[in-house]
Amino acid sequence: MWQSHGFHMFPADHPGNPECVGAHHPERPCNGQRGKHPCGRWSVLASDGPVKLRAMFSRGMRNIGVACKASGLLVVDEDQPGAFREYAAGVGQVVEDTFTVTTAKGCHRYYRQPEGVELGNGVGALKGRGIDVRGARGLGGYVIGPGSVHETGVIYQPVDMAAPILPAPAWLVEALQAQPVAAFSGDHRKSLVSDGKGRPYKVLTGLVQTVLEATPGSDRNSRLFWSASRMFEHAGQGLFPSESGRAALLEAARRVGLADGEAEATLNSAHRNARGR
Ligand SMILES: [Zn+2]
């Protein structure tokens, strides 16, 4: 029924099943997460086709997962009731009534992704406010959709079935694109680099810092390319595993607002370049 909203959906575990039917590793328990695990590779399964949906949802009790990217959605997940209105009021704005689904703890506010930008799962200026955002960066994120059941028995319920999904307001888009100040602090830099001491740490921290100091819209990619090239050289000499270097630089690229796809492409090209030497 939600296809009319443009939702691309996939089945997820339903807490009424004796055991989780999600496709996660059996050794990883789903403490507090029953009813949220996708039944398979959700980003591939997600569909708005009635035939495919009927087949996927006819295998027993299932919750509905909504893939944000495929659906063109930006969903604001508010865990602390009132937090989003409070943020809005602080920047002189009012939250208008968009399609909203109440959850066990708060609510999901559904917005349309803005044209030309892929807003991701980062929270930007909303950081630390009990607000989470699911969007379109990389594979994108998903939310458990209306009509689903939370493990507490609470049903994800639309506040108003007929409410339209509004375009993401400009002030929200701006807030999500802003880099939280803490991203540039020493503590954050450390958290990007797992091993906290020795030469490997120093080298990798320097490379991460080079990316973090980029100016959006001008030299992010060239800085990432330079740092990645050095990183692969050092990794090639066994200073640290290239996976750790890659993960740290990818996260730094995210912090300066580079889309995952773009950052991956730059990392891959730096890798090819380093191997060619
Ligand atoms: Zn599970």
Side-chain angles (χ1 to χ4, degrees), residues 10-263:
F10 59 89
D13 178 35
H14 184 293
N17 293 299
E19 276 178 14
C20 178
V21 293
H24 61 101
H25 301 288
E27 66 272 18
R28 184 152 42 93
C30 5
N31 293 345
Q33 297 293 315
R34 279 300 310 274
K36 295 186 179 181
H37 292 135
C39 303
R41 290 179 59 195
W42 63 270
S43 60
V44 178
L45 293 176
S47 171
D48 63 347
V51 176
K52 202 176 163 193
L53 286 170
R54 212 171 305 127
M56 285 195 294
F57 283 93
S58 62
R59 292 174 192 156
M61 280 194 289
R62 298 292 183 265
N63 271 346
I64 299 170
V66 179
C68 296
K69 185 178 192 168
S71 312
L73 291 172
L74 181 72
V75 179
V76 174
D77 175 3
E78 185 185 63
D79 270 352
Q80 293 164 24
F84 191 52
R85 282 185 200 283
E86 204 172 282
Y87 172 80
V91 293
Q93 302 290 340
V94 175
V95 176
E96 290 183 54
D97 290 334
T98 191
F99 182 78
T100 298
V101 175
T102 56
T103 64
K105 280 194 249 167
C107 68
H108 289 158
R109 285 193 175 78
Y110 288 59
Y111 292 102
R112 295 282 171 216
Q113 280 276 347
E115 294 276 326
V117 223
E118 280 200 338
L119 287 177
N121 301 331
V123 286
L126 301 177
K127 192 179 165 64
R129 294 170 183 272
I131 301 164
D132 197 8
V133 176
R134 309 288 160 71
R137 198 155 53 190
L139 282 181
Y142 69 86
V143 288
I144 295 299
S148 298
V149 181
H150 188 259
E151 68 172 359
T152 54
V154 171
I155 294 177
Y156 291 75
Q157 225 151 18
V159 174
D160 174 2
M161 293 283 281
I165 299 175
L166 300 179
W171 58 267
L172 173 61
V173 173
E174 205 171 290
L176 294 176
Q177 285 175 320
Q179 291 302 312
V181 178
F184 297 93
S185 75
D187 273 348
H188 248 87
R189 209 160 69 222
K190 267 184 212 156
S191 71
L192 290 179
V193 183
S194 51
D195 180 8
K197 45 182 193 302
R199 180 153 177 269
Y201 169 72
K202 257 195 202 151
V203 169
L204 199 43
T205 303
L207 298 177
V208 161
Q209 185 63 16
T210 300
V211 176
L212 289 178
E213 278 165 7
T215 310
S218 91
D219 59 356
R220 293 182 300 193
N221 256 316
S222 49
R223 278 170 179 265
L224 178 61
F225 183 78
W226 182 87
S227 286
S229 301
R230 302 293 84 73
M231 184 276 286
F232 284 118
E233 283 168 14
H234 288 298
Q237 291 159 8
L239 194 61
F240 42 70
S242 63
E243 291 81 357
S244 335
R246 212 187 154 94
L249 290 181
L250 188 60
E251 184 56 35
R254 276 187 198 132
R255 301 261 164 100
V256 293
L258 265 183
D260 278 7
E262 205 177 350

